[in-house]
Amino acid sequence: MINIILIYWNTIKYLKNIQIIFRIYYKFKLNYFISRKLININKKIKYINLFSNNNTFFLDDFFHINNQSADFTKTGWNPNSKDDLWKYKLHYFDYINNSKKKLKKDIVQMLIYNWIENYPFKSGIGWDPYPTSIRIINWITWSWNNKFSEKKVIENLLFQIRYLSKNIEWHILGNHLATNAKSLIFAGLFFEGNEARKWLKKGINILEDQLDEQVLKDGGHFELSPMYHSLFLKDLIEIYNLSKNNKVYFSKNFNQKLFYKINKMFQWLELMSHPDGEIGYFNDSVNNEILKVGELRELAKYYNIQILNNIELNKIKNLHHLKDSGYINISAKNFLAIIDVGHVGPNYLPGHAHADTLSFELSLYNNRFFVNSGISCYGVNKQRHIERSTQSHNTVKINNSNSSNVWASFRVAERAFPQNLSIINENQDFIISCSHNGYKRNYNIIHKRTWHLSKNKFSIEDEIIGSFKNAFANFILHPEVKIFKLNENSLEFIFCNKKVKFFSNNKVSLIKKKYNLGFGKSTLTNCILIEFEENKNLTNILWS
């Protein structure tokens, strides 16, 4: 009982007052009146087609979401066999704007009418503010693209917007609040009149504040997830496209701030992406949920938004330290590593954080070699806990514990804090050293890790300062990495037709781990497991 109380206390104590106040307010607030009054559509808005991500679609009466399908004629809008994330996405309506699997107008109308008739107000999680926000954006986008204004749909859309405007997610903040703001901006532009202008003003004010809060000085999104960074960047691109084409509704300062933040976020995403163009798996991240950095650049180009030049990587030896978000990118010929020396995320919003302090990913010859495991689900279940745990990342697990106390689905209690970061550039070698105190509270242990990049050699030295019962270092291989030879303390690989060698001063073994390709989609891969016999372990990776 005491342990449970401590876990809750070490989770709640980091929350902002506004989160606590609104959690209480929304729990006990009384029902309120929502107007059904119709207002006119604004026909003066200039827009360019907006398209949803293409991994959710509707085909032959089946919804295809998170690599799982459901027969709409049997399940309707509340499929009991699916988890909450699947249901959330069902109610997003992303599939009506899917640019690669376009739906005919009559099918979209059927789905919208069916939802209105068979999913009444507050009948399930589809009415949560977050899916409501995304559904509003998608209905408006589709109506713009198809010049659609049928009364029954517009009346229901207005009801959703009015409901959302009274249920902004101040109790959650973060990407949820930013999505609420985007929805209000779309709503404020789609309709005309005083009420619509209030939505627009409210959305702009929230987003403008959140740009300062959520986009760090180094350009990273403050939840420290490359996946959510990419999603937020896409949102900003779409909002900036609307703002620059409808300048009468937006201030010059707002447009300038948007443009500046977009460019900073592009630079950050370049540094958090591998040579294959896909993001590193840090915190809640997986690739098939988002647009790659190159695809986002194409989107910006399509909207005639000028983006700064790419950062040169993987050609000359270089180091980029993203100080505010706590990541380091080091690159050289045939080599790129992304290193996590940061904290778990905003103290008051670590829901997408993992126990991955001092983990890293590595690409050789423009292909991924060492990877973190990524995510495949969001439920309160064993798999979600494993994917957030230290054992699913390229770092050290001590005494069968996680470096940060991740629990439930989106909770973190005690968390690791990085310490004593050192970055040295010595004779064209990079030496990065950092420690963290995640094991100090329970075991009086500090984990220190040093990465050393020299010519065709990458060394990782781990030191456990303090007494420990057991400790294991993970080096998770990408599924396409094939092992050529395994010895007691070493492995050899033929990778991209080149020889790669791996050495450790402790015994090397292989185990299987899941590598996640997307929500609901995983494969098995090899993980090099090193058990500490003493307090130090030195690992060397050599390539030609």
Side-chain angles (χ1 to χ4, degrees):
M1 183 65 181
I2 293 174
N3 286 338
I4 294 174
I5 293 171
L6 286 174
I7 287 173
Y8 272 94
W9 167 245
N10 284 311
T11 303
I12 294 169
K13 71 181 183 181
Y14 293 103
L15 296 179
K16 285 191 171 186
N17 290 337
I18 191 172
Q19 290 173 290
I20 297 171
I21 290 167
F22 272 91
R23 282 177 188 274
I24 297 170
Y25 171 70
Y26 284 141
K27 188 172 182 64
F28 294 105
K29 74 174 181 176
L30 300 174
N31 291 331
Y32 45 78
F33 173 75
I34 300 177
S35 172
R36 296 276 186 176
K37 179 184 177 182
L38 278 172
I39 57 178
N40 293 328
I41 292 174
N42 187 352
K43 297 181 179 180
K44 298 178 182 178
I45 294 298
K46 296 178 182 178
Y47 64 92
I48 299 177
N49 292 352
L50 305 174
F51 299 122
S52 131
N53 292 345
N54 55 33
N55 63 342
T56 298
F57 61 95
F58 181 78
L59 181 66
D60 297 331
D61 291 331
F62 278 81
F63 285 110
H64 301 271
I65 299 170
N66 288 354
N67 298 295
Q68 299 174 19
S69 300
D71 186 343
F72 177 56
T73 61
K74 295 179 180 179
T75 63
W77 297 103
N78 192 26
N80 294 324
S81 62
K82 303 300 182 185
D83 61 25
D84 285 352
L85 180 62
W86 201 99
K87 293 175 186 176
Y88 255 41
K89 290 188 174 184
L90 175 66
H91 293 280
Y92 288 174
F93 272 77
D94 278 345
Y95 37 82
I96 68 173
N97 293 308
N98 190 313
S99 56
K100 292 188 177 181
K101 298 183 185 294
K102 291 184 179 180
L103 290 177
K104 293 181 179 179
K105 187 174 180 179
D106 61 331
I107 295 177
V108 174
Q109 287 179 265
M110 178 276 293
L111 290 170
I112 292 174
Y113 293 151
N114 191 291
W115 189 91
I116 292 170
E117 293 166 3
N118 296 295
Y119 201 74
F121 182 46
K122 291 192 174 181
S123 56
I125 63 171
W127 278 99
D128 286 0
Y130 188 70
T132 298
S133 295
I134 298 175
R135 184 171 57 252
I136 289 168
I137 293 165
N138 276 313
W139 284 22
I140 288 175
T141 297
W142 187 83
S143 297
W144 267 333
N145 291 341
N146 292 275
K147 296 179 172 53
F148 181 79
S149 59
E150 201 275 332
K151 181 181 177 182
K152 181 179 179 179
V153 175
I154 298 304
E155 183 180 52
N156 188 274
L157 179 62
L158 281 165
F159 184 85
Q160 293 182 55
I161 295 165
R162 287 165 178 150
Y163 163 73
L164 173 65
S165 69
K166 298 176 184 291
N167 289 274
I168 301 300
E169 293 176 277
W170 298 110
H171 59 305
I172 295 179
L173 303 176
N175 67 87
H176 279 233
L177 183 59
T179 301
N180 298 161
K182 179 184 178 183
S183 184
L184 290 176
I185 289 171
F186 272 57
L189 292 174
F190 187 70
F191 292 100
E192 62 181 18
N194 292 333
E195 188 179 17
R197 295 295 82 77
K198 288 179 182 178
W199 297 331
L200 180 60
K201 183 179 179 181
K202 188 173 186 177
I204 290 173
N205 288 342
I206 291 172
L207 184 61
E208 194 160 17
D209 287 342
Q210 291 306 302
L211 284 172
D212 294 327
E213 176 78 2
Q214 296 195 31
V215 183
L216 303 172
K217 290 181 181 179
D218 63 16
H221 185 259
F222 78 151
E223 294 190 55
L224 306 183
S225 153
M227 180 175 76
Y228 281 94
H229 178 103
S230 177
L231 291 170
F232 189 45
L233 177 54
K234 179 177 180 288
D235 285 343
L236 296 188
I237 291 170
E238 292 174 347
I239 293 168
Y240 182 69
N241 168 62
L242 287 173
S243 70
K244 74 184 183 69
N245 286 295
N246 301 278
K247 292 181 180 178
V248 67
Y249 299 101
F250 299 87
S251 71
K252 184 177 180 181
N253 287 340
F254 178 74
N255 285 347
Q256 288 175 341
K257 179 182 281 191
L258 264 181
F259 182 73
Y260 173 77
K261 297 291 186 180
I262 287 169
N263 270 289
K264 289 293 289 184
M265 290 186 77
F266 262 112
Q267 293 174 21
W268 189 93
L269 194 58
E270 292 276 0
L271 293 170
M272 294 301 295
S273 297
H274 285 267
D276 61 8
E278 295 188 339
I279 58 170
Y281 280 7
F282 295 92
N283 296 312
D284 275 348
S285 289
V286 74
N287 274 301
N288 77 340
E289 291 294 305
I290 58 170
L291 298 178
K292 298 179 184 180
V293 63
E295 292 170 330
L296 286 167
R297 284 188 174 274
E298 286 299 314
L299 183 67
K301 183 179 179 181
Y302 177 71
Y303 293 148
N304 294 314
I305 301 172
Q306 186 177 4
I307 303 301
L308 299 177
N309 291 332
N310 294 19
I311 298 170
E312 285 290 321
L313 295 173
N314 208 32
K315 293 180 180 179
I316 56 174
K317 189 174 284 190
N318 212 335
L319 183 146
H320 297 271
H321 182 197
L322 297 164
K323 295 180 181 179
D324 301 285
S325 49
Y327 293 108
I328 295 173
N329 174 304
I330 50 176
S331 62
K333 184 180 179 181
N334 298 324
F335 174 94
L336 184 140
I338 305 171
I339 296 170
D340 182 359
V341 292
H343 48 79
V344 299
N347 273 334
Y348 64 88
L349 191 67
H352 293 295
H354 289 197
D356 63 352
T357 309
L358 305 189
S359 66
F360 76 101
E361 292 196 335
L362 171 67
S363 280
L364 294 173
Y365 310 110
N366 296 324
N367 288 276
R368 291 174 189 243
F369 196 84
F370 289 127
V371 292
N372 293 314
S373 293
I375 56 172
S376 67
C377 61
Y378 268 173
V380 183
N381 55 47
K382 181 180 179 181
Q383 185 59 31
R384 170 67 172 159
H385 184 74
I386 289 171
E387 289 170 3
R388 296 181 76 201
S389 68
T390 302
Q391 70 183 33
S392 294
H393 302 85
N394 295 315
T395 186
V396 176
K397 182 174 183 175
I398 302 173
N399 291 348
N400 298 319
S401 297
N402 290 318
S403 56
S404 291
N405 188 1
V406 292
W407 63 284
S409 186
F410 299 100
R411 301 284 183 262
V412 184
E414 305 93 337
R415 66 269 325 248
F417 290 93
Q419 302 172 333
N420 304 317
L421 174 64
S422 170
I423 301 174
I424 299 171
N425 186 351
E426 186 178 85
N427 298 324
Q428 293 300 304
D429 284 7
F430 290 123
I431 304 171
I432 302 158
S433 179
C434 190
S435 60
H436 77 79
N437 64 357
Y439 299 108
K440 186 173 179 62
R441 178 178 299 229
N442 293 325
Y443 307 110
N444 199 29
I445 289 172
I446 296 293
H447 172 211
K448 180 182 178 182
R449 173 167 271 191
T450 301
W451 300 264
H452 184 176
L453 174 64
S454 54
K455 185 177 180 181
N456 296 345
K457 181 181 177 182
F458 191 50
S459 300
I460 301 101
E461 182 180 67
D462 289 301
E463 181 179 3
I464 300 173
I465 303 169
S467 299
F468 63 95
K469 294 179 181 178
N470 56 68
F472 298 88
N474 290 311
F475 294 88
I476 305 168
L477 296 164
H478 188 274
E480 293 186 6
V481 178
K482 305 303 179 186
I483 297 166
F484 175 67
K485 187 184 294 184
L486 170 63
N487 299 310
E488 185 176 7
N489 297 92
S490 66
L491 295 97
E492 290 186 25
F493 310 89
I494 301 298
F495 186 65
C496 299
N497 296 318
K498 304 284 186 179
K499 186 175 286 188
V500 178
K501 296 182 179 181
F502 179 100
F503 297 94
S504 171
N505 63 342
N506 283 292
K507 185 179 178 181
V508 169
S509 61
L510 288 174
I511 61 172
K512 293 291 184 180
K513 285 190 182 290
K514 281 188 176 181
Y515 177 71
N516 297 307
L517 306 170
F519 284 110
K521 189 175 183 180
S522 304
T523 188
L524 288 177
T525 192
N526 287 309
C527 172
I528 304 170
L529 189 69
I530 299 174
E531 182 174 3
F532 283 66
E533 296 176 1
E534 298 178 349
N535 286 67
K536 286 188 178 182
N537 178 72
L538 177 63
T539 300
N540 290 307
I541 300 138
L542 294 86
W543 64 95
S544 58

